[in-house]
Amino acid sequence: MVAMMVVVGLAGASGPASAAKFLVVGGGSTTGVYYQVALNVCKIVNKTLKSKGYNCIGRPALGSVFNINAIKRGLLNFGVAQSDRNWQAYNGKADWKKKGPVKELRSVFSAHPETVLLATRADTGIKKVADLRGKRVNIGNPGSGQRGNATDVLKIYGIDRKKDIKAEGLQQGEASRSLVDKKIDAFFYTVGNPWGGGLEIANSTDLRIVPVNSAGIKKLVAANPFYVMTVIKGGIYKGVSKDVPTYAVKATFVSSSKQDPNVVYDVVKAVFGNLDKFKASHAAFKFLTPKAMLGGLSAPFHKGAMRYYKEVGLK
Ligand code: GLU
């Protein structure tokens, strides 16, 4: 029996029509939501496209900026990234000002909204962004999407990240642990709700989420089509019972113009054809609709994705 399976496996791999198609999808920290996007897209791809030889791996990664750069370098076939980072990458701004624009970046679809979230503990006394002065604050690891949002927020509130706070650049898993262990006082994280790490923190300490909604923030949101004002709903995280106002961006699934359009088409068809399964795979995906998943994108559509959207009348 075992021998037979091996023979079948080899025969399957050697035929040109069924040559293995290895795909690597970059997510985020294991306790975040990006990793769930990467895992669950791959789960659907592996299940529905097995006969075509697909083998898709969703892996943890450092976040939006890392994923976009890794896609450019051909190290990832797909990745999850914030819509604001896509815009900056495509237009050569912020992290890409010196490196130059990533003109090959392509949108495949958008996923859940991500809130700019400032988390602290009750005992720090931090109730508003201005209270961060003199505190130890994680602004996100280089490569993460939240680092850019934290930088914007601090600037808008007139806080100098070099002088006014003790800024840390921890990866999110470590930041969550450090908040619980009282090694840091607060962290910025741009993430879908609920995120697994947040639920854990709320069960281990008195989690508080701080509003990020000054007039300056509203101005930033009004000036950029990829941002919206929103609230983090009360009742999601233990101890956070009231809605917390902040702003949000969309998580997107992106690729490179160099990625074979037939592969992108296959992946999009698999995801949209199994959307109920995808939506059920994580609470943050509950409200996704095909129409909404074509919105909030700031890099041009990949032509393989467009082919599918036209075929089913979504475009
Ligand atoms: N928005 C974060 C980033 O771009 C990742 C959030 C997550 O992993 O869910 O790095």
Side-chain angles (χ1 to χ4, degrees), residues 28-29 32-34 62-64 82 114 144-146 189-191:
S29 115
V33 186
Y34 281 16
L62 296 177
S64 291
Q82 291 176 204
E114 300 186 88
S144 72
Q146 55 267 16
Y189 192 24
T190 305
V191 69

Side-chain angles (χ1 to χ4, degrees), residues 4 8 54 73 80 86-87 101 103 119 152 156 238 251 266 271:
M4 209 173 85
V8 170
Y54 277 94
R73 294 175 59 201
V80 193
N86 294 340
W87 185 84
K103 283 294 173 203
D152 287 345
I156 287 169
K238 193 175 149 196
D266 282 348
V271 172

Side-chain angles (χ1 to χ4, degrees), residues 27-37 61-67 80-82 84-85 112 114-115 141 143-147 149 172 189-192 195 249 251:
S29 115
T30 51
T31 58
V33 186
Y34 281 16
Y35 186 47
Q36 296 300 320
V37 174
L62 296 177
S64 291
V65 174
F66 172 89
N67 287 343
V80 193
Q82 291 176 204
D84 52 353
R85 297 295 153 260
H112 57 284
E114 300 186 88
T115 51
N141 60 287
S144 72
Q146 55 267 16
R147 195 172 170 97
N149 301 120
Q172 190 48 43
Y189 192 24
T190 305
V191 69
W195 102 95
V249 66

Side-chain angles (χ1 to χ4, degrees), residues 128-142:
K128 46 189 194 310
V129 179
D131 298 335
L132 291 177
R133 285 176 192 279
K135 303 287 188 189
R136 198 172 284 276
V137 185
N138 192 56
I139 60 167
N141 60 287

Side-chain angles (χ1 to χ4, degrees), residues 16 19 23 44 56-57 61 65 72 91 96 120-121 130 158 162 170 177 180 184 194 199 213 215 233 235 278 296 312:
L23 299 180
I44 289 172
C56 184
I57 296 163
V65 174
K72 180 185 162 77
N91 294 291
W96 294 273
T120 185
R121 292 181 316 273
K162 295 206 174 87
L170 306 172
R177 273 194 305 278
V180 173
I184 59 170
L199 297 171
N213 66 339
K233 284 254 168 247
F278 185 72
V312 296

